[in-house]
Amino acid sequence: MSWTFWTRRRDAMPSPSQPDWERALINRMALDYLRDQRNRRRWGIFFKLLILLYLIAILVAAYARDLIDGGDSGKAHTALIEVKGVIASETDASADRVIAALRKAFETEQVKGVILRINSPGGSPVQAGYINDEIKRLKAKYKQDKGKEMPVYAVAVDLCASGGYYIAVGADAIYVDKASLIGSIGVRIDGFGFEEAMKDLGIERRLLTAGDNKGILDPFSPLPESQRIFIQGVLDTLHRQFIGEVKMGRGDRLKGGDELFSGLFWSGQEAVELGLADGLGSSSSVARDIIGAETLVDYTRKRDLYESLAKRLGVGVASGLLETIGMGGGVVR
């Protein structure tokens, strides 16, 4: 409070010579307190709204920039689609997002070729399989409708392994950096066994199931040999499917033996020698030298504004902001 304000308030105080001056003084002090509280609340709300508007402006600007970057170009160009991170249903590299971007690229007249820029350790074989199948379907449909091929190339960045490579073999050719890591053609399932630790700690596991194998892979129960054989059979089936897709996509270009399908991975330079990749190159060099349309336009499916809010500010902060402006509660997903 300023000195002038306090002086004014002191002058307005009742004099002891007035009747009931104590009650008047208390009333005056209570009114002054309530007035101060209202002023503080007003300024608090003002600054909170100002900060909220500032954050929203930043998000809108970032989202608008993403839309511009991902928009169509009026001239011939190469469509770039990122496959980045773990391939799973709720990630940026999900089949839904990648397939939506592929369809948009194939539908755009100015697109002369598509580059899948892959930087992924793998993930769901189902999601990777969806993308691989859609690449082949779109290419066949485009050739039937247009009477010509739409070239699709995979470009590996740091890592193109497992499910990432599963997607890559659906392309016409694979280009890598000499230091990229390529391969890991295999299937795995992880788990722990705490049975002996439970015994040492004197803990009894009480697992009730309806179905002899319903508790399969329970980490606190032993793994019977029959269940181990069954799980291995499932993994072998998935592995054969993976190998079949690699052989279908790469064909006679493969120069290695069974070691290619053992789960090992190689440098980009070694991958070219083994026929797992076709040559060294980047997205820019492939667009310029192979496709012949040097301009790259990003067709990667962007998150909408609601998703961007959750991703950029974090789940907790975004949830709080959305509650503040009356857009629901709970966790933002």
Side-chain angles (χ1 to χ4, degrees):
M1 302 293 175
S2 68
W3 180 84
T4 304
F5 182 62
W6 275 106
T7 301
R8 179 181 60 79
R9 289 169 61 181
R10 187 181 68 246
D11 293 343
M13 291 295 177
S15 170
S17 61
Q18 296 175 348
D20 295 331
W21 68 272
E22 297 96 339
R23 181 178 299 175
L25 176 60
I26 292 173
N27 290 339
R28 172 60 63 182
M29 292 176 65
L31 289 172
D32 287 343
Y33 175 77
L34 292 174
R35 186 183 298 110
D36 291 344
Q37 289 297 103
R38 283 197 299 268
N39 289 334
R40 289 194 185 98
R41 281 198 298 270
R42 289 193 190 103
W43 281 107
I45 293 172
F46 172 76
F47 283 117
K48 288 176 182 177
L49 287 174
L50 194 63
I51 293 171
L52 180 60
L53 290 173
Y54 176 72
L55 292 174
I56 291 175
I58 292 175
L59 290 172
V60 170
Y63 186 62
R65 184 176 63 249
D66 288 343
L67 288 177
I68 293 171
D69 291 344
D72 296 343
S73 174
K75 61 180 181 179
H77 59 270
T78 296
L80 177 68
I81 300 172
E82 298 273 5
V83 181
K84 187 176 182 180
V86 176
I87 302 164
S89 61
E90 299 299 327
T91 67
D92 288 340
S94 69
D96 285 344
R97 293 185 184 279
V98 176
I99 288 173
L102 281 166
R103 289 174 180 172
K104 183 174 178 60
F106 270 80
E107 291 168 0
T108 304
E109 287 291 334
Q110 294 82 8
V111 171
K112 301 306 176 186
V114 178
I115 290 177
L116 291 167
R117 185 159 63 190
I118 302 173
N119 192 5
S120 172
S124 164
V126 175
Q127 295 288 308
Y130 284 159
I131 298 170
N132 181 293
D133 291 343
E134 187 66 8
I135 293 170
K136 292 182 286 190
R137 187 191 74 81
L138 287 172
K139 284 182 63 65
K141 183 176 184 300
Y142 189 88
K143 185 175 182 180
Q144 179 180 351
D145 295 344
K146 305 289 186 179
K148 59 182 179 180
E149 295 280 353
M150 170 67 82
V152 178
Y153 299 104
V155 174
V157 189
D158 299 294
L159 188 60
C160 181
S162 196
Y165 191 73
Y166 196 119
I167 293 172
V169 296
D172 296 312
I174 302 172
Y175 292 91
V176 299
D177 182 82
K178 60 182 179 296
S180 301
L181 296 180
I182 311 297
S184 189
I185 302 170
V187 185
R188 59 180 282 180
I189 188 168
D190 302 327
F192 293 94
F194 294 102
E195 182 189 4
E196 295 301 323
M198 298 271 285
K199 290 179 181 178
D200 293 341
L201 294 171
I203 300 173
E204 178 186 358
R205 172 63 164 163
R206 295 173 181 172
L207 176 65
L208 305 178
T209 64
D212 294 340
N213 296 299
K214 189 60 178 176
I216 193 169
L217 289 181
D218 176 69
F220 303 104
S221 302
L223 180 64
E225 182 64 15
S226 60
Q227 292 184 356
R228 189 197 67 78
I229 293 172
F230 174 80
I231 294 169
Q232 187 61 55
V234 173
L235 294 177
D236 290 342
T237 298
L238 295 176
H239 193 202
R240 286 193 295 271
Q241 294 172 358
F242 195 170
I243 293 172
E245 289 295 333
V246 173
K247 289 183 175 180
M248 182 185 302
R250 301 301 298 167
D252 295 336
R253 289 175 287 186
L254 292 174
K255 300 181 178 64
D258 291 340
E259 76 278 4
L260 295 181
F261 313 113
S262 66
L264 292 174
F265 53 87
W266 294 268
S267 69
Q269 186 170 346
E270 292 171 323
V272 173
E273 296 170 0
L274 291 169
L276 293 171
D278 297 282
L280 303 181
S282 64
S283 300
S284 297
S285 67
V286 171
R288 180 183 61 249
D289 303 329
I290 309 298
I291 297 176
E294 186 173 2
T295 301
L296 285 167
V297 176
D298 191 358
Y299 278 72
T300 308
R301 176 83 178 272
K302 306 298 182 182
R303 293 177 180 268
D304 59 33
L305 189 56
Y306 185 82
E307 291 177 301
S308 296
L309 182 66
K311 184 176 181 182
R312 293 174 187 270
L313 297 181
V315 171
V317 176
S319 179
L321 285 175
L322 292 174
E323 286 178 1
T324 300
I325 59 178
M327 293 180 61
V331 178
V332 179
R333 296 189 184 276

